[in-house]
Amino acid sequence: MALSVENQQPPVIVVMGVSGVGKTTVARLLAHRLGLPYAEADDFHPAANIAKMSAGIPLDDQDREPWLRALGAWLGERAGAGTGGVVTCSALKRSYRDILRDACPEAYFLHLTGSHDLVGDRIAHRTGHFMPPSLLDSQYATLEPLQADESGTVLDVDADPDTLVERAVADLSH
């Protein structure tokens, strides 16, 4: 479902998907392109979550709930202030997206998706991130794609980031 940004407040966008799909890259470019504030979801994780993931242990729903509520608050603040914003968040389950929507009903989800092989290769070659490749399978197993009643769109990351941003902007304009 597209979101028209004409004659409306700036959008609040969640760039979602499994680790390694390029959420950070696309979200930064999209925020810049639209002139919106940007936030990286990883910055909202408590130290215990980072330690758990760094040890190769997947987070459970109890670990994620305060993180998701903090992200939802950020989104709700941006919507309430009328500034809009772009945040990255895996948002793998419908229930996680529901937590974000509870705080910010206007949230629009840009779901980046890609083949397991492509994403696994990206994770294996990146540096400076606490998410190990061993957790990718658990992320794909947890992933619940956007449903027809959720505001958002799905883009395959087989295209370059600039093309993905242009596709996202076009979808937001409809």
Side-chain angles (χ1 to χ4, degrees):
M1 169 191 296
L3 173 74
S4 176
V5 294
E6 296 175 12
N7 301 318
Q8 292 186 12
Q9 289 191 5
V12 282
I13 304 165
V14 179
V15 179
M16 63 169 282
V18 299
S19 186
V21 293
K23 294 184 297 288
T24 299
T25 300
V26 171
R28 283 182 177 156
L29 289 170
L30 183 61
H32 179 74
R33 171 76 160 69
L34 296 175
L36 301 176
Y38 164 77
E40 171 60 50
D42 289 343
D43 295 340
F44 290 75
H45 273 297
N49 283 8
I50 293 172
K52 196 171 183 180
M53 288 184 286
S54 295
I57 303 168
L59 299 179
D60 59 28
D61 288 353
Q62 186 176 355
D63 297 322
R64 286 186 181 98
E65 185 174 349
W67 172 68
L68 290 165
R69 294 208 181 281
L71 289 170
W74 188 89
L75 289 165
E77 290 166 5
R78 301 291 87 64
T83 63
V86 179
V87 68
T88 60
C89 178
S90 53
L92 298 177
K93 289 184 180 181
R94 169 77 184 240
S95 62
Y96 303 165
R97 297 186 297 271
D98 288 345
I99 291 171
L100 297 173
R101 274 191 297 271
D102 283 346
C104 183
E106 305 89 343
Y108 180 87
F109 295 87
L110 176 60
H111 180 186
L112 301 180
T113 187
S115 74
H116 190 288
D117 289 342
L118 173 66
V119 175
D121 185 62
R122 287 181 177 184
I123 291 176
H125 290 96
R126 74 179 176 184
T127 58
H129 196 277
F130 55 81
M131 175 76 174
S134 61
L135 292 182
L136 184 59
D137 287 341
S138 73
Q139 289 213 330
Y140 273 107
T142 301
L143 179 62
E144 296 172 1
L146 286 177
Q147 302 299 304
D149 65 334
E150 294 184 274
S151 179
T153 193
V154 179
L155 295 178
D156 194 303
V157 297
D158 61 352
D160 66 89
D162 290 322
T163 299
L164 293 172
V165 167
E166 290 309 312
R167 289 177 184 168
V169 169
D171 194 65
L172 284 162
S173 299
H174 289 106

